[in-house]
Amino acid sequence: MNEYISIKSLTDEIKKTADVFIKEFDDVQEADKNLRLDGVDRTPQEIIAYQLGWMNLIRSWDKDELAGIEVITPAPGLKWNKLGALYQGFYDKYSSYSLEQLRRMFINTVNEFTEWVQSFSEDQVFQPGGRKWAASTASNWPIWKWVHINTVAPFKSFRSKIRKWKKIRGV
């Protein structure tokens, strides 16, 4: 896992990997956004919806905590070892959008997400206990790990998925 020396290095990596990831969709046709192909476990729409879902979920945890609302991770009624329903919720939420709308939403969400990360102090991001939601699991991760695991890491791994999808599709 990457180690970051500052919030700037973390947000720079988020922006860099997000940009490389979303550019992979430049040559995916709208008509193919929901095309499931053997060998790839998600459609192009689902790949982007997954990213949008996680970034918005993490920010909602923080918003709720700051509003004094009890945060239940990953979500009320869901357990960490059974995330299929959470992912399906992401896919459903974003299913009515065009591929171009999803791409724009992704870019806007990344910008909002990095601004949100930049609103924290270095200690809040890099020391355990920066937020209660970040300490909600036995691992007691600092915020930066939650951010990395749900942005940089999947931007890279899901880039591989869309590249494989495009190869199979002949794009």
Side-chain angles (χ1 to χ4, degrees):
M1 183 180 310
N2 291 14
E3 292 284 335
Y4 302 96
I5 60 169
S6 66
I7 290 172
K8 181 176 180 348
S9 67
L10 173 59
T11 57
D12 285 351
E13 187 68 11
I14 293 168
K15 290 174 186 177
K16 180 181 90 177
T17 56
D19 184 56
V20 171
F21 166 79
I22 204 64
K23 283 182 178 172
E24 290 293 341
F25 294 85
D26 287 353
D27 50 1
V28 175
Q29 299 299 308
E30 176 65 27
D32 289 343
K33 81 171 189 170
N34 292 311
L35 183 61
R36 188 171 311 280
L37 299 174
D38 287 340
V40 183
D41 63 349
R42 289 178 175 86
T43 68
Q45 179 269 336
E46 290 171 343
I47 290 171
I48 298 174
Y50 179 97
Q51 312 307 323
L52 289 167
W54 272 112
M55 286 187 286
N56 287 316
L57 181 61
I58 291 172
R59 288 188 59 217
S60 77
W61 294 340
D62 199 57
K63 180 181 175 189
D64 287 351
E65 180 175 323
L66 293 175
I69 299 169
E70 180 185 4
V71 176
I72 299 170
T73 61
L78 298 177
K79 302 290 182 199
W80 285 110
N81 61 347
K82 296 194 183 216
L83 294 176
L86 181 68
Y87 302 157
Q88 189 60 54
F90 296 162
Y91 308 152
D92 293 346
K93 180 176 180 176
Y94 298 103
S95 66
S96 65
Y97 296 98
S98 71
L99 194 56
E100 183 55 32
Q101 288 172 315
L102 290 169
R103 292 174 72 225
R104 283 195 313 265
M105 290 169 70
F106 177 83
I107 292 164
N108 290 336
T109 301
V110 167
N111 289 334
E112 292 167 0
F113 192 88
T114 55
E115 287 174 14
W116 169 74
V117 172
Q118 292 165 347
S119 74
F120 290 99
S121 71
E122 297 282 334
D123 283 346
Q124 286 174 310
V125 171
F126 293 105
Q127 299 299 319
R131 286 288 198 261
K132 288 180 188 175
W133 59 261
S136 65
T137 63
S139 60
N140 192 27
W141 284 350
I143 291 169
W144 80 265
K145 280 193 179 182
W146 286 97
V147 167
H148 173 84
I149 290 296
N150 292 292
T151 58
V152 174
F155 296 167
K156 290 178 179 180
S157 64
F158 280 63
R159 178 177 180 236
S160 297
K161 288 180 187 290
I162 193 61
R163 289 173 65 88
K164 183 176 181 180
W165 183 95
K166 290 183 342 180
K167 183 177 180 182
I168 293 168
R169 182 69 174 140
V171 175

